[in-house]
Amino acid sequence: MINMEPQGGFSYSEADFRRVQEIARQEAGISLPISKRSLVFSRVSRRIRATGRASFRDYLDYVSMREGQEELKELICVLTTNVTQFFREKSHFEHLETHVLPQLGQKLRAGGRGRFWSAACSTGQEPWSMAMSIMAELPDALRMDLKILATDINHAVVETGRIGQYPGEEVQSVPQRWRDAYMEPVEMAQFSMAREIRRLVTFRQLNLNRDWPFKGQFDVIFCRNVVIYFDDETRNALWKRLAERLVPGGFLYVGHSERVDCIRECHLEAVAPTIYMKKG
């Protein structure tokens, strides 16, 4: 067994890394390649120090116990990557605004319902972008039966999204007219999502690879830049579960480096790069 000792901190063996790999896979479906070994050391070391544990082995033993289950959630949080921005992958929002919302608006005005899901919402920029697109295209959205569910495995980023306050430099990708309409300047060059638009979005912590504590189907699901961290089996299982939650004619948006390989089994068809529609 090789013992790895990166600069500072704790000794770190191959067995330690393999244990973290297994925990990440079992708890979140995350596949950690050997190339992430140093990253794992850096991130997990912070939690070891924060909890006052003596070593990697001691810490990993602790999160495997019943009394360590809250810390296990913190471990999964530090192992996840959260990179996002407002209106990331602009073509998705252009499709949403030009192809989806006009038709959905007709259904809503006739008394139907509309449901959107940001399935890996990170710090909230994605669902808030969805909300702004909806409000711009359907100004009467707040009088309709329309909701956005925003979920992520990382409880800390979910809370950031729920608070809905961002530094000025992070809102530069939001068109000025929408910034004026849907955001409010606050102290320290921060912007907060306006009160009315907040009524559209509900934030919840959720592990996509566990049971989903809600029923019903969605007209639109954004699940972007998530499955790149999963192995093939976990990835395809998630695509199938997401497809089952789409209404016929509903849309699934995936990340620019992702694709649905099991498209036939999912009853999906590709309508544009990284955009899929549910058949039926």
Side-chain angles (χ1 to χ4, degrees):
M1 180 183 299
I2 298 174
N3 195 60
M4 297 167 283
E5 296 186 355
Q7 290 185 352
F10 312 93
S11 62
Y12 178 47
S13 69
E14 287 187 7
D16 294 329
F17 177 65
R18 287 198 299 271
R19 287 186 71 185
V20 177
Q21 282 181 307
E22 184 60 19
I23 289 170
R25 186 189 65 78
Q26 287 188 345
E27 296 297 322
I30 298 171
S31 177
L32 292 171
I34 193 67
S35 61
K36 300 291 186 182
R37 191 171 63 184
S38 294
L39 178 68
V40 166
F41 173 83
S42 174
R43 294 185 177 184
V44 178
S45 291
R46 294 199 298 268
R47 295 308 310 165
I48 297 174
R49 294 188 182 95
T51 56
R53 311 308 295 190
S55 64
F56 263 81
R57 180 177 179 178
D58 180 36
Y59 177 79
L60 296 174
D61 285 345
Y62 174 61
V63 299
S64 299
M65 300 175 183
R66 178 176 296 179
E67 58 266 34
Q69 292 306 290
E70 288 303 311
E71 180 56 31
L72 176 60
K73 296 177 184 177
E74 299 298 331
L75 172 60
I76 297 303
C77 285
V78 300
L79 293 176
T80 56
T81 300
N82 297 285
V83 178
T84 188
Q85 66 185 58
F86 286 101
F87 298 100
R88 188 182 186 187
E89 299 178 33
K90 188 176 179 181
S91 62
H92 288 169
F93 292 94
E94 291 174 346
H95 182 271
L96 180 68
E97 293 158 18
T98 59
H99 290 84
V100 180
L101 291 174
Q103 184 173 350
L104 183 60
Q106 295 178 17
K107 182 179 84 168
L108 291 166
R109 292 186 182 103
R113 52 175 273 172
R115 293 294 184 267
F116 295 70
W117 184 11
S118 171
C121 67
S122 186
T123 46
Q125 287 90 331
E126 179 176 278
W128 290 127
S129 297
M130 295 164 70
M132 286 186 276
S133 290
I134 290 169
M135 290 291 289
E137 295 300 317
L138 305 175
D140 49 348
L142 294 176
R143 296 194 295 272
M144 301 172 175
D145 185 3
L146 191 157
K147 299 293 182 183
I148 301 169
L149 174 64
T151 67
D152 200 281
I153 193 172
N154 186 326
H155 67 87
V157 300
V158 168
E159 184 59 24
T160 298
R162 182 182 293 114
I163 292 169
Q165 186 167 310
Y166 303 95
E169 61 269 18
E170 291 189 16
V171 306
Q172 293 305 306
S173 56
V174 178
Q176 184 65 52
R177 68 187 186 282
W178 289 6
R179 232 180 295 166
D180 294 340
Y182 309 125
M183 293 181 166
E184 300 171 346
V186 292
E187 60 182 9
M188 301 295 291
Q190 300 267 322
F191 286 81
S192 178
M193 303 309 300
R195 180 179 300 177
E196 280 204 342
I197 202 169
R198 288 176 178 273
R199 291 164 53 190
L200 286 179
V201 187
T202 299
F203 286 87
R204 295 283 186 268
Q205 197 248 341
L206 178 72
N207 185 335
L208 288 174
N209 291 306
R210 296 289 176 86
D211 291 338
W212 299 345
F214 50 80
K215 298 179 180 180
Q217 293 179 301
F218 296 86
D219 300 275
V220 170
I221 298 176
F222 276 55
C223 186
R224 308 188 302 172
N225 307 303
V226 178
V227 303
I228 53 174
Y229 302 107
F230 299 161
D231 59 31
D232 289 345
E233 181 181 358
T234 305
R235 181 182 304 124
N236 288 333
L238 179 59
W239 290 144
K240 291 172 184 176
R241 292 181 74 193
L242 290 172
E244 289 172 357
R245 291 303 184 102
L246 278 174
V247 300
F251 291 89
L252 171 66
Y253 298 81
V254 308
H256 72 280
S257 61
E258 300 169 333
R259 68 177 186 179
V260 179
D261 291 318
C262 52
I263 185 170
R264 186 171 299 176
E265 299 93 316
C266 293
H267 305 289
L268 297 173
E269 62 176 308
V271 297
T274 65
I275 302 175
Y276 299 85
M277 185 177 73
K278 177 79 170 286
K279 296 179 180 179

